[in-house]
Amino acid sequence: MLPRAVRLGNGLWWAFELTICRCPVPGAGVTAAWRLYPPPAWRRIESMIHRQTLPGRQAACIFILTMGAITLSASAGPPVIRWGGSDGPNSVSPARRLPADPTTVKPIWELSLGSHQYAVPTIDRGRIYVGANDMGVRRDGYKPTGGGLLLCIEQATGRMIWQFITPRFFGGIKPPYHYNQWKCGVCSSPLVDGERVYIIGGRGEVLCLDRNGQADGNAGPFSDELAYMGLGEVPGATLQPTDGDIVWRFDLVGELGVVPHDVCGSTLAMMDDLLFACTSNGLDDRHDKIPAPQAPALIVLDKRTGRLVARENEGISSRLLHGHWSSPVAAHIAGQTLVFFGGGDGVMYAFAPPDVGSQDKVQSLRKVWATDCNPADYRTRDGKPIPYSRHNRKSPEGPSEIISTPIVLDGRLYVAIGQSPVHGEGRGCLSCIDAATGKLLWRSTLVGRTLATPALADGLLYIPDYSGNLHCFDAATGQRQWVHPMNGRAWPASAFVADSKVYASTESGLVWVLRAGRQLEVLSRGRQGSPPIAPVAVDGILYLPTQKSLLAIRSEEHTSELQSHHPI
């Protein structure tokens, strides 16, 4: 007989413990911890066991009980879900039973965020961390400024646990600065490591936060969160358990002379005790000079203290086209660890990590290789430089920077070039590079300018471009398998692959779901009221962020199946 199902705190129905469910083996009156299986999995297990003889059934029961205990013990620290479904930038998830048309399913819950949101959520131990702007903040004494917000919410219900408010830095709109003016909020996807949460804030700083917020007190050494939120002079203002807790902060502007441009819009990478951060250094407010050409594009911090460990000194900022916004990635390649960074000059760099034993002075990162991701004829024609496209002088020609985050799989690195959406459509390029040597393996100019990070699953690479085309390439050869026009420009979201489906969206709110594979097959076309960002999926639920809200969506088929099981 099948075990009964119980509904856990995450809102899902699961077969649980022998104390509340019956073992399918006759005579096995044992009380022990079973592995957490959803009911469909229990049916397969029960069918398998009942095909055995009685001794076989008993042995199977003992095996499952043993493995269940091991699984429960090992799952005390589940992996952090980032970038859609993994701990790396490849937006591919093993999640199953996801909706084929998320726009037609009533959400389990929906949380209002603000007016702008561009960060992929991170899931860790029953909590979701997501960035937004502060236009939706409700906090005694605080008035929204167009600054940033990091929310920690309960995965099962969407209930807020704590909020970290970063007011707008109005100095960022004074020449030569030109950032924090678009009310984009926190554009950094949170990096969660144990009891710490790391982000790059919209004010031009790297922040280390306490996972529990102020609920367990002010962790320090930073202790002036009230003043940071602009509430230091508000009569009667005190820290609340639902406020965020800063452990340390590193000021990119004050410490390094960085002049961020438009947004501080990248995500941190971590290797052991080191954090790698893009500085978002860029042009001035008039878009014609680089005010800080010697400021680093990439730095390394000690994750425990925020101490500056290393920086690049390759002069990348002196060659930037607009700004640095690509996120660094660390990977083990051919017996060595390398840190990959897409520069604002359109060049892909690989650096060796710094010596962790040296604490005397700030180290210079050693460049291992550099590969230009712009074809030569994008940069010059007839021996003359081709002008870079600008918001007031749009052109499909010219070189582009790297905004996309590179992905590294099986010794290969994949990355695309692009520009700010306000520069319009133009020629792009998707490159496949040997991650160990920097050798160009193949490139395709069929992809237009894009901000998107490629998604690679089962040998196929999916990427949308700003022109609104979703491309599928053979990752080994670079041969395009198909292209699908999405009837709208695409820049807020990368493609997301899960459950044999490819999710992609446009800035007008269109949501496309296609069958993953070498043949083009559209499963659905729907629309959200606000432009969607790349989703994340786990436990059969799609968490879909838009610019204004975060939705938790389960497929109708999955919902009906779960509802057919009744609680004890």
Side-chain angles (χ1 to χ4, degrees):
M1 187 172 182
L2 281 174
R4 299 292 295 276
V6 61
R7 192 174 190 179
L8 300 183
N10 61 2
L12 300 179
W13 294 93
W14 299 82
F16 196 48
E17 295 184 348
L18 283 176
T19 53
I20 57 173
C21 65
R22 292 188 294 275
C23 176
V25 180
V30 186
T31 300
W34 288 74
R35 180 176 181 177
L36 297 177
Y37 282 106
W42 273 109
R43 287 197 290 271
R44 293 193 296 270
I45 294 170
E46 189 248 3
S47 175
M48 174 190 73
I49 292 176
H50 275 286
R51 289 197 297 268
Q52 307 297 320
T53 61
L54 181 58
R57 294 179 190 177
Q58 292 171 337
C61 183
I62 293 170
F63 172 77
I64 293 175
L65 290 173
T66 303
M67 293 307 296
I70 292 173
T71 301
L72 285 172
S73 174
S75 65
V80 177
I81 305 299
R82 302 179 70 208
W83 302 100
S86 65
D87 59 355
N90 189 26
S91 195
V92 176
S93 170
R96 294 290 181 264
R97 295 180 294 172
L98 298 177
D101 184 355
T103 65
T104 61
V105 182
K106 182 180 180 181
I108 303 170
W109 53 258
E110 180 174 0
L111 177 68
S112 178
L113 296 176
S115 62
H116 290 79
Q117 197 286 117
Y118 297 102
V120 180
T122 298
I123 299 179
D124 173 61
R125 290 168 285 171
R127 296 182 177 186
I128 300 177
Y129 302 86
V130 63
N133 69 12
D134 68 352
M135 301 308 288
V137 168
R138 299 292 181 268
R139 205 264 187 214
D140 290 343
Y142 185 79
K143 296 180 180 179
T145 63
L149 174 71
L150 177 68
L151 280 170
C152 172
I153 61 179
E154 188 175 73
Q155 182 182 350
T157 65
R159 176 185 64 87
M160 185 191 78
I161 298 174
W162 54 261
Q163 59 183 354
F164 174 67
I165 303 169
T166 64
R168 183 179 177 185
F169 176 54
F170 287 94
I173 59 176
K174 296 179 181 179
Y177 298 104
H178 186 75
Y179 73 104
N180 221 203
Q181 80 277 19
W182 283 353
K183 302 180 181 179
C184 293
V186 173
C187 299
S188 176
S189 293
L191 191 161
V192 182
D193 178 43
E195 298 305 303
R196 297 291 180 257
V197 181
Y198 302 93
I199 60 169
I200 296 179
R203 298 168 61 92
E205 57 196 355
V206 181
L207 293 151
C208 171
L209 309 174
D210 187 330
R211 179 181 184 270
N212 295 312
Q214 295 288 344
D216 58 356
N218 202 337
F222 190 97
S223 60
D224 205 1
E225 282 84 357
L226 273 180
Y228 181 90
M229 291 187 290
L231 301 177
E233 303 300 322
V234 175
T238 59
L239 287 174
Q240 304 297 318
T242 54
D243 288 327
D245 182 4
I246 301 175
V247 178
W248 57 256
R249 64 183 287 269
F250 183 88
D251 185 354
L252 297 167
V253 177
E255 296 288 338
L256 298 172
V258 168
V259 179
H261 189 86
D262 284 347
V263 296
C264 298
S266 63
T267 294
L268 295 156
M270 185 176 68
M271 185 194 74
D272 300 325
D273 289 333
L274 300 176
L275 293 175
F276 297 83
C278 169
T279 65
S280 294
N281 194 41
L283 296 177
D284 66 357
D285 59 305
R286 299 180 65 85
H287 290 76
D288 62 5
K289 293 181 180 178
I290 304 171
Q294 300 306 315
L298 178 68
I299 64 168
V300 187
L301 302 176
D302 186 316
K303 74 175 185 181
R304 298 163 297 185
T305 64
R307 178 181 67 87
L308 180 64
V309 175
R311 52 167 285 171
E312 63 82 16
N313 280 302
E314 296 297 320
I316 303 176
S317 285
S318 66
R319 300 184 294 272
L320 66 84
L321 300 168
H322 193 189
H324 300 302
W325 297 296
S326 181
S327 301
V329 174
H332 296 283
I333 302 294
Q336 61 180 334
T337 299
L338 294 176
V339 179
F340 303 97
F341 175 69
D345 56 354
V347 176
M348 192 72 222
Y349 295 89
F351 292 98
D355 179 7
V356 295
S358 176
Q359 298 189 13
D360 296 334
K361 61 180 181 179
V362 177
Q363 302 173 54
S364 292
L365 289 173
R366 179 176 64 85
K367 183 182 70 176
V368 177
W369 56 256
T371 301
D372 193 350
C373 292
N374 284 268
D377 61 353
Y378 282 25
R379 294 193 181 269
T380 61
R381 181 181 295 125
D382 299 327
K384 297 180 180 180
I386 301 175
Y388 176 76
S389 180
R390 299 187 184 278
H391 69 285
N392 58 355
R393 193 179 64 242
K394 296 179 182 178
S395 170
E397 305 295 322
S400 292
E401 63 267 25
I402 299 173
I403 303 177
S404 165
T405 299
I407 63 169
V408 183
L409 286 174
D410 299 326
R412 292 184 168 198
L413 180 148
Y414 303 85
V415 72
I417 59 172
Q419 296 185 25
S420 167
V422 301
H423 291 189
E425 299 178 29
R427 296 197 297 176
C429 184
L430 172 66
S431 298
C432 173
I433 301 170
D434 185 310
T437 65
K439 178 183 177 182
L440 182 66
L441 300 177
W442 60 258
R443 67 171 24 146
S444 174
T445 57
L446 296 174
V447 177
R449 292 174 183 161
T450 183
L451 285 71
T453 294
L456 199 162
D458 299 323
L460 297 176
L461 185 148
Y462 306 90
I463 187 169
D465 60 26
Y466 178 63
S467 299
N469 295 310
L470 177 63
H471 306 262
C472 172
F473 287 88
D474 184 303
T477 66
Q479 293 296 311
R480 188 168 69 177
Q481 305 299 295
W482 50 258
V483 58
H484 173 64
M486 296 193 292
N487 302 328
R489 288 171 173 159
W491 66 270
S494 301
F496 170 66
V497 184
D499 195 24
S500 300
K501 302 177 181 73
V502 182
Y503 295 82
S505 60
T506 71
E507 66 176 358
S508 63
L510 287 176
V511 179
W512 293 88
V513 183
L514 295 89
R515 181 83 64 192
R518 296 182 183 274
Q519 302 300 317
L520 175 60
E521 180 184 352
V522 176
L523 298 179
S524 68
R525 173 186 184 273
R527 185 181 294 275
Q528 286 288 345
S530 177
I533 313 302
V536 59
V538 65
D539 293 339
I541 298 177
L542 185 76
Y543 297 92
L544 179 64
T546 72
Q547 286 205 355
K548 296 184 178 180
S549 64
L550 176 63
L551 302 92
I553 305 170
R554 182 189 291 133
S555 70
E556 290 182 340
E557 177 184 355
H558 190 188
T559 300
S560 299
E561 183 178 78
L562 294 173
Q563 289 175 343
S564 67
H565 297 271
H566 304 290
I568 294 173

